[in-house]
């Protein structure tokens, strides 16, 4: 069992390395072709940032599949199943649509149609839901049209859920990475714990998806140097949905006979084991909840469900006073709690300590939400290993009226350029008035002249 784990780790590392190394050239390419849209009203960043990060992520996906195809323990996935090829075909189509949208901003209905076509391409090649294990009923076989419609709906919902949550630096990639890690543990347990070969493709998809996200995150953490864009968010959403589809309806309950009795009784008794299969959206519960709330909010206000706004969960975290990084970490926390909680409950639902642990961690999360202005500080011995914003103050903060005299021959620009960390820390601690340059100043990096100031300057001339 150790050898397959090493093969998965190798595939993950190669995928992450290729994605990481490609992101730098892709950023230069995006800047060269002008894939840097102007800042919109709903954006929280202050400077135009290149998109097209999905190009590097797609390169990592291809590299991961190629490496897995040449590994002894993973080669059987490609020989016994057509699902990896189906995933690559659908991913290539949705990635191409995303690249065009990042450059030319195509219509939302066209993107929706492209998502449905990409899902249909995977269905045609065999990546579809065949039957559903329903508690109390047993295994319900689906017709071809029912399986196709359910598969297309699951792909479209997952893609848009991930796309909707992609509003802060590192948020979508980190949340999908957490979800794929939880799903990998579940699929790996099905494959090697119960000997179910049908779970092998889903295990491989989860490992590759983790590598794609981990390779892109260093470039995308706040402050982001590049955005994944729709080419990246729709791509990772499709891969995540493909993993859930690959397992859902493909696993026969009779192959997991842990209980005596009929198939109906076994399915009912093993409900916790099938939770991530029947409800794969529990793995991405936070993006799915954000998607549903966004549709209801926009429809209630008479807007299109695809109209962009600033009412997402991460926007509301910024509005109540959380910083950019802290809002992202809170979203990470809730995603990990729900995803790993569902997987832990599926392993053994009779353990009360799992429920108690989830309740305790939920209480901790609520406390963190109610303390938006609390800034953690690290011990002095660990300050060199953390960003400047988590370090303690060495002395009293000078008043705003105090101005340090520069040394002869050295301007203030030279002082700031010599110590970029000090300049960044000073900029982060600069108080910004509420409502100026973003939400509660959480993303402000400098001062913008107000219209009244500009009118005064023009009149003085």
């Amino acid at each position: 069992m150790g050898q397959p784990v090493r093969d998965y780790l190798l595939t993950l590392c190669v995928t992450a390395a290729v994605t990481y190394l490609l992101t730098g050239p892709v950023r230069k390419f995006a800047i060269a072709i002008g894939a840097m849209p102007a800042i919109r009203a709903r954006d929280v960043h202050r400077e135009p940032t290149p998109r097209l990060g999905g190009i590097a992520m797609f390169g990592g996906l291809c590299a991961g599949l190629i490496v897995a195809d040449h590994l002894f323990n993973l080669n059987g996935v490609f020989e016994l199943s057509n699902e990896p090829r189906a995933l690559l075909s659908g991913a290539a189509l949705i990635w191409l649509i995303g690249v065009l949208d990042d450059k030319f901003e195509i219509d939302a209905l066209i993107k929706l149609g492209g998502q449905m076509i990409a899902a249909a391409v995977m269905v045609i090649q065999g990546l579809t839901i065949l039957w559903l294990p329903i508690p109390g009923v047993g295994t319900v076989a689906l017709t071809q049209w029912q399986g196709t419609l359910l598969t297309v709906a699951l792909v479209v919902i997952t893609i848009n859920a991930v796309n909707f949550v992609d509003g802060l630096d590192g948020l979508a990639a980190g949340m999908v990475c957490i979800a794929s890690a939880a799903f990998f543990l579940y699929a790996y347990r099905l494959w090697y714990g119960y000997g179910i070969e049908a779970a092998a493709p889903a295990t491989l998809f989860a490992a590759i998806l983790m590598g794609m996200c981990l390779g892109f995150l260093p470039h995308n953490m706040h402050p982001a140097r590049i955005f994944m864009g729709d080419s990246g968010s729709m791509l990772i959403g499709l891969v995540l949905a493909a993993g859930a589809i690959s397992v859902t309806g493909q696993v026969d309950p009779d192959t997991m006979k842990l209980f005596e009795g009929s198939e109906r009784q076994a399915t009912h008794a093993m409900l916790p084991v099938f939770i991530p299969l029947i409800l794969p959206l529990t793995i991405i519960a936070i993006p799915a909840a954000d998607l549903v709330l966004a549709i209801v909010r926009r429809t209630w206000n008479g807007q299109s469900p695809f109209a962009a706004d600033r009412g997402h969960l991460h926007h509301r975290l910024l509005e109540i006073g959380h910083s950019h990084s802290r809002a992202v970490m809170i979203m990470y926390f809730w995603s990990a709690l729900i995803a790993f909680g569902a997987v832990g409950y599926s392993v053994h639902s009779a353990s009360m300590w799992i429920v108690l642990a989830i309740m305790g961690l939920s209480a901790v999360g609520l406390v963190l939400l109610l303390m938006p202005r609390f800034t953690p500080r690290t011990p002095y011995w660990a300050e060199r290993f953390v960003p400047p914003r988590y370090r303690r103050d060495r002395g009293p903060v000078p008043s705003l009226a105090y101005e340090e005299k520069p040394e002869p021959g050295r301007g203030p620009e030279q002082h700031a350029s010599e110590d970029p960390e000090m300049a960044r820390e000073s900029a982060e601690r600069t108080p910004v008035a509420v409502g100026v340059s973003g939400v509660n100043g959480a993303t402000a990096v400098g001062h913008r002249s107000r219209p009244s100031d500009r009118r005064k300057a023009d009149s003085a001339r």
Side-chain angles (χ1 to χ4, degrees):
M1 185 176 295
Q3 186 67 31
V5 173
R6 289 195 293 268
D7 289 345
Y8 281 122
L9 289 178
L10 177 60
T11 304
L12 187 153
C13 293
V14 170
T15 304
V18 172
T19 304
Y20 177 81
L21 295 176
L22 285 179
T23 304
V26 167
R27 179 178 182 272
K28 296 181 180 180
F29 172 74
I31 296 175
I33 66 173
M36 299 176 60
I39 299 178
R40 300 160 296 186
R42 68 178 187 269
D43 293 333
V44 297
H45 58 280
R46 285 286 306 276
E47 299 178 358
T49 306
R51 295 183 181 178
L52 294 178
I55 296 179
M57 304 180 82
F58 182 75
L61 170 65
C62 296
L65 291 175
I66 292 174
V67 170
D69 190 20
H70 290 80
L71 295 177
F72 176 76
N73 292 281
L74 303 182
N75 185 36
V77 178
F78 297 84
E79 295 179 351
L80 302 177
S81 174
N82 196 42
E83 293 182 1
R85 299 177 184 86
L87 170 65
L88 185 59
S89 302
L93 180 58
I94 201 69
W95 169 77
L96 180 60
I97 296 173
V99 169
L100 295 176
D101 181 69
D102 290 340
K103 181 63 177 76
F104 304 104
E105 295 191 4
I106 61 179
D107 187 73
L109 292 179
I110 297 179
K111 288 194 296 182
L112 179 62
Q115 295 169 7
M116 299 175 67
I117 294 175
V121 168
M122 295 193 300
V123 171
I124 293 174
Q125 300 188 53
L127 188 57
T128 181
I129 300 175
L130 301 178
W131 58 75
L132 287 177
I134 299 180
V137 177
T139 301
V140 177
L142 302 177
T143 64
Q144 183 178 359
W145 281 107
Q146 290 174 342
T148 300
L149 292 177
L150 186 58
T151 302
V152 172
L154 182 60
V155 170
V156 172
I157 291 175
T158 307
I159 289 176
N160 286 280
V162 176
N163 192 17
F164 275 38
V165 82
D166 185 23
L168 297 179
D169 297 347
L171 181 58
M175 293 181 66
V176 172
C177 183
I178 294 172
S180 58
F183 195 80
F184 173 82
L185 295 177
Y186 178 80
Y188 186 85
R189 177 173 176 265
L190 287 182
W191 187 7
Y192 287 97
Y194 295 102
I196 300 176
E197 294 291 337
T203 311
L204 176 62
F205 297 166
I208 293 178
L209 183 56
M210 278 192 290
M212 294 166 59
C213 296
L214 290 176
F216 185 72
L217 270 175
H219 300 273
N220 191 232
M221 293 300 292
H222 182 69
R225 302 180 69 248
I226 185 174
F227 294 151
M228 68 172 66
D230 283 358
S231 59
S233 61
M234 292 197 299
L235 175 63
I236 61 179
L238 181 135
V239 177
L240 184 61
I245 293 169
S246 177
V247 177
T248 305
Q250 302 277 7
V251 179
D252 189 353
D254 290 337
T255 61
M256 302 176 65
K257 283 186 176 179
L258 300 180
F259 305 93
E260 298 293 334
S262 64
E263 180 182 335
R264 175 175 177 176
Q265 293 174 344
T267 304
H268 180 72
M270 297 179 64
L271 172 61
V273 178
F274 284 102
I275 285 180
L277 304 183
I278 304 173
L279 303 174
L281 290 182
T282 57
I283 299 296
I284 53 168
I286 298 298
D290 196 13
L291 171 63
V292 173
L293 292 176
I295 293 176
V296 173
R297 180 178 64 252
R298 294 166 184 175
T299 305
W300 183 267
N301 294 330
Q303 301 176 347
S304 170
F306 301 99
D309 57 16
R310 292 179 59 91
H312 294 290
L313 297 177
H314 49 270
H315 288 139
R316 296 186 181 275
L317 288 175
L318 294 178
E319 289 177 358
I320 64 176
H322 291 287
S323 66
H324 191 292
S325 300
R326 186 177 178 83
V328 171
M329 292 301 172
I330 290 176
M331 298 287 282
Y332 284 177
F333 172 83
W334 284 107
S335 298
L337 178 62
I338 295 175
F340 287 98
V343 173
Y345 185 72
S346 69
V347 174
H348 190 37
S349 62
S351 298
M352 183 57 64
W353 67 268
I354 297 179
V355 179
L356 295 177
I358 293 176
M359 293 177 59
L361 291 175
S362 300
V364 173
L366 291 176
V367 172
L368 293 177
L369 286 175
L370 297 176
M371 301 174 60
R373 290 175 176 80
F374 172 73
T375 303
R377 296 298 180 186
T378 56
Y380 289 111
W381 59 268
E383 287 187 352
R384 66 180 64 184
F385 305 106
V386 297
R389 60 178 173 272
Y390 296 121
R391 299 174 184 172
R392 299 175 182 270
D393 295 330
R394 293 297 185 180
V397 179
S399 62
L400 296 178
Y402 176 76
E403 182 177 359
E404 182 181 359
K405 295 182 180 180
E407 297 180 9
R410 304 174 68 186
E413 294 81 9
Q414 293 174 318
H415 281 277
S417 61
E418 290 180 0
D419 194 352
E421 289 190 4
M422 182 178 298
R424 190 183 306 111
E425 181 178 4
S426 176
E428 291 177 354
R429 294 182 178 179
T430 302
V432 182
V434 175
V436 179
S437 307
V439 184
N440 287 349
T443 58
V445 295
H447 173 70
R448 286 184 178 180
S449 59
R450 300 181 180 179
S452 59
D453 297 337
R454 288 197 294 266
R455 287 196 296 267
K456 292 179 181 178
D458 293 338
S459 62
R461 294 177 186 174

